[in-house]
């Protein structure tokens, strides 16, 4: 990559309001990134609020209304984020009791929350029931019994969906593919366990089966997988209506009216590198909704309400992580070949995805223009691990040196959420920017925070 290209900010990777100024400094929403580092230190996550909100609205428009879009809180959740999602009219998915409590602390309406998880604790299930969570996605037979008992004790009927494994191999990393048979989530379509789960939910007077759910995986670019999943899950709807109508007082028609939701999950791929293109969600949504209507029509079924669960596609592109370059070292590789190692003041404690998933990132100096020649480079963190690598292989300008600010874009999803205190690094702050102003969403963790957990 030559210097001119390196000074560019690819618009499909960077936040919508990122700009490089005439002096080479990069701003987001009018706020210079060096000023943020000067005030809050580095590493630091900078979140473009308007970008985040606009992606919420785009999803709502694509899928026929905000009520049909559930923001996946696992990507990144704070009380502020929950409030943004609520203000944009979206619903919310949580995957733990703590995520649920954060959402409730933000005042998010419980009726617009759905609860996920393959091992929901009794405490989590009771909280869902007692707070009036709008839907619990059933993931095991034991859970069906636990949830029914919690609902009985609370004297309520809990709306539920059955999570189905439609037997699809998504073209993504194995660790984030979730629709094939040999993985921990959901009930198998092929084995008949999904039908059995639907039967058990319908037989319980304390549960109300309102739909079916599936999720093909994360960071998916093959749009056909979503359509195939919908077709297979609709086949299960047809089977339920044929074999289980006696379990509903309204018979087949009543059951068809109740089983009205088809939740197709999320997983829409975003661009992390300049050469990648994000999934065209609007086009996928139009095609998917048309195919669902056609699949339902072909089977003689009512057209279900399609709901989706984007997380990464909303939070991911809205955020960059800014680091300060420290040690620069030329390392012998073989013969006369060397590789330049650029060490930054973060690493796997704030972004484990490259190690965990083999994720790849772009990088740009954001404190000035660069004009050096490209050299074989690797961006590494400051942790006591040789695998502490943020960018495995890149050709970066050779004038990058200590004190430069290097930013990785598209770090809004699963970076802070997966962050750790490895080597006693405190988690970095998250700063939101909008209309030329910066605000602390999450402050930096300190040694005092770590020590405060100890019980002397």
């Amino acid at each position: 990559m030559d210097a001119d290209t390196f000074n560019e900010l690819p618009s499909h990777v960077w936040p919508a309001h990122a700009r490089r100024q005439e002096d080479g400094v990069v701003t987001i929403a009018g706020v210079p990134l060096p000023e943020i580092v000067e005030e809050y230190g580095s590493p630091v996550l900078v979140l473009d609020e308007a970008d985040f909100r606009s992606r919420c609205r785009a999803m709502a428009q694509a899928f026929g209304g905000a009520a049909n879009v559930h923001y996946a809180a696992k990507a990144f959740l704070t009380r502020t984020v929950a409030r943004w999602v609520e203000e944009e009219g979206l619903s919310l998915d949580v995957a733990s009791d703590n995520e649920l409590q954060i959402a409730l602390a933000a005042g998010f309406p419980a009726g617009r929350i759905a609860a996920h998880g393959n091992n929901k604790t009794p405490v989590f299930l009771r909280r869902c029931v007692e707070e009036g969570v709008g839907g619990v996605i059933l993931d095991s037979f034991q859970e069906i019994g636990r949830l029914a008992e919690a609902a009985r004790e609370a004297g309520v009927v809990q709306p539920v969906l059955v999570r189905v494994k439609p037997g699809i191999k998504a073209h993504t990393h194995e660790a984030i593919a979730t629709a094939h048979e040999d993985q921990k989530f959901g009930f198998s379509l092929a084995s008949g366990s999904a039908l059995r789960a639907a039967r058990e939910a319908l037989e319980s007077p304390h549960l109300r089966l309102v739909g079916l759910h599936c999720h093909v995986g994360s960071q998916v670019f093959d749009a056909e997988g979503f359509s195939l999943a919908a077709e297979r899950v609709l086949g299960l709807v047809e089977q339920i209506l044929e074999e289980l109508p006696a379990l509903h007082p309204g018979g087949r028609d009543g059951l068809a009216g109740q089983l009205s939701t088809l939740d197709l999950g999320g997983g829409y791929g975003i661009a992390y590198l300049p050469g990648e293109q994000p999934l065209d969600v609007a086009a996928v949504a139009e095609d998917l909704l048309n195919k669902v209507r056609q699949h339902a029509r072909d089977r003689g079924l009512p057209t279900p309400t399609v709901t989706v669960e984007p997380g990464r596609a909303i939070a991911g592109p809205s955020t960059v992580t800014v680091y300060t370059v420290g040690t620069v070292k030329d390392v012998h590789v073989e013969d006369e070949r060397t590789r330049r190692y650029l060490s930054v003041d973060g690493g796997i404690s704030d972004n484990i995805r490259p190690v965990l998933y083999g994720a790849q990132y772009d990088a740009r100096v954001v404190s000035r223009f660069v004009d050096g020649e490209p050299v074989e480079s690797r961006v590494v963190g400051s942790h006591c691990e040789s695998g502490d690598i943020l960018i495995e292989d890149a050709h970066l300008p050779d004038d990058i040196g200590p004190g430069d600010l290097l930013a990785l874009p598209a770090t809004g999803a699963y970076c802070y959420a997966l962050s750790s205190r490895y080597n006693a690094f405190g988690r970095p702050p998250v700063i939101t920017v909008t209309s030329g102003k910066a605000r602390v969403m999450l402050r930096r963790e300190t040694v005092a925070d770590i020590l405060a957990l100890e019980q002397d």
Side-chain angles (χ1 to χ4, degrees):
M1 181 187 302
D2 60 34
D4 288 341
T5 303
F6 187 79
N7 287 317
E8 296 174 357
L9 303 177
S11 60
H12 61 295
V13 180
W14 281 71
H17 303 99
R19 303 287 185 271
R20 191 178 291 277
Q21 305 303 306
E22 292 182 357
D23 59 358
V25 167
V26 172
T27 66
I28 298 180
V31 181
L33 294 180
E35 290 186 7
I36 290 177
V37 171
E38 183 177 1
E39 183 167 358
Y40 301 107
S42 65
V44 57
L45 281 76
V46 182
L47 193 165
D48 182 345
E49 177 184 344
D51 182 293
F52 184 102
R53 288 179 177 271
S54 70
R55 294 177 191 278
C56 290
R57 292 192 290 271
M59 284 287 178
Q61 183 175 4
F63 285 99
N68 299 332
V69 179
H70 293 235
Y71 172 69
K74 61 185 179 180
F76 178 61
L77 180 67
T78 66
R79 285 184 299 179
T80 299
V81 165
R83 292 185 189 114
W84 290 351
V85 171
E86 195 280 327
E87 289 165 4
E88 296 299 334
L90 274 58
S91 295
L92 187 71
D93 280 340
V94 298
S96 73
D97 187 31
N98 283 359
E99 286 184 355
L100 174 58
Q101 291 186 69
I102 291 170
L104 294 173
F108 202 96
R112 282 164 48 195
I113 297 176
H116 283 273
N118 67 298
N119 188 32
K120 303 181 190 71
T121 65
V123 171
F124 186 16
L125 292 174
R126 284 197 298 272
R127 197 183 312 277
C128 288
V129 168
E130 292 167 0
E131 295 289 346
V133 161
V136 174
I137 289 75
L138 298 174
D139 204 272
S140 71
F141 290 109
Q142 293 97 325
E143 183 180 303
I144 294 174
R146 292 180 195 131
L147 182 62
E149 178 60 19
R152 184 194 66 78
E153 291 176 353
V156 300
V157 176
Q158 175 63 50
V160 297
L161 292 85
V162 169
R163 179 161 182 166
V164 179
K165 290 188 283 192
I168 294 170
K169 283 280 190 179
H171 298 294
T172 188
H173 192 284
E174 177 67 19
I176 50 177
T178 55
H180 58 289
E181 293 290 336
D182 192 10
Q183 50 84 24
K184 69 178 185 176
F185 292 107
F187 297 92
S188 167
L189 190 61
S191 71
S193 67
L195 178 63
R196 178 185 156 202
R199 177 188 294 275
E200 290 196 11
L202 287 168
E203 287 175 340
S204 172
H206 308 293
L207 304 179
R208 177 178 174 83
L209 181 63
V210 297
L212 301 177
H213 172 281
C214 70
H215 180 60
V216 300
S218 295
Q219 192 61 358
V220 175
F221 290 94
D222 180 9
E224 192 59 32
F226 298 108
S227 175
L228 180 57
E231 182 178 9
R232 292 185 180 179
V233 175
L234 281 171
L236 177 58
V237 173
E238 183 179 28
Q239 191 177 8
I240 291 170
L241 295 181
E242 288 177 353
E243 299 186 23
L244 306 179
L247 298 178
H248 194 282
R252 187 183 191 280
D253 290 344
L255 183 55
Q258 177 178 307
L259 198 64
S260 60
T261 299
L262 178 60
D263 190 329
L264 295 177
Y268 309 114
I270 67 171
Y272 284 95
L273 300 174
E276 298 176 342
Q277 287 298 323
L279 191 68
D280 186 340
V281 175
V284 168
E286 182 179 11
D287 180 64
L288 183 61
L289 294 176
N290 286 336
K291 287 182 177 177
V292 167
R293 283 190 286 268
Q294 186 61 52
H295 292 326
R297 191 178 304 117
D298 292 344
R299 295 176 180 275
L301 303 173
T303 300
T305 298
V306 173
T307 59
V308 293
E309 303 167 354
R312 181 196 314 269
I314 292 174
S318 67
T319 299
V320 304
T321 303
V322 186
Y323 303 94
T324 300
V325 176
T327 299
V328 177
K329 182 187 296 184
D330 290 330
V331 174
H332 173 76
V333 178
E334 59 184 1
D335 299 329
E336 296 183 0
R337 179 178 163 221
T338 62
R339 190 197 312 272
R340 178 157 294 179
Y341 277 66
L342 302 171
S343 298
V344 299
D345 54 353
I348 58 174
S349 60
D350 60 79
N351 190 349
I352 199 173
R353 295 187 65 254
V355 177
L356 192 61
Y357 305 141
Q360 299 183 64
Y361 284 90
D362 187 34
R364 295 288 189 271
V365 171
V366 295
S367 47
R368 63 180 179 89
F369 286 116
V370 294
D371 57 12
E373 294 298 317
V375 295
E376 189 174 356
S377 304
R378 180 169 287 169
V379 180
V380 298
S382 298
H383 295 284
C384 194
E385 295 281 341
S386 59
D388 178 23
I389 299 170
L390 292 171
I391 299 178
E392 177 85 17
D393 188 20
H395 284 77
L396 304 178
D398 63 6
D399 61 334
I400 300 176
D404 281 328
L405 300 184
L406 192 69
L408 273 60
T411 55
Y414 303 107
C415 289
Y416 194 93
L418 287 167
S419 63
S420 72
R421 287 173 167 174
Y422 185 47
N423 292 152
F425 277 48
R427 293 176 177 87
V430 180
I431 308 299
T432 64
V433 291
T434 185
S435 303
K437 296 181 180 179
R439 185 178 67 83
V440 178
M441 176 187 283
L442 294 171
R443 66 167 175 82
R444 183 182 303 281
E445 283 188 329
T446 66
V447 173
D449 294 319
I450 298 172
L451 292 173
L453 296 174
E454 295 193 27
Q455 300 295 307
D456 295 329

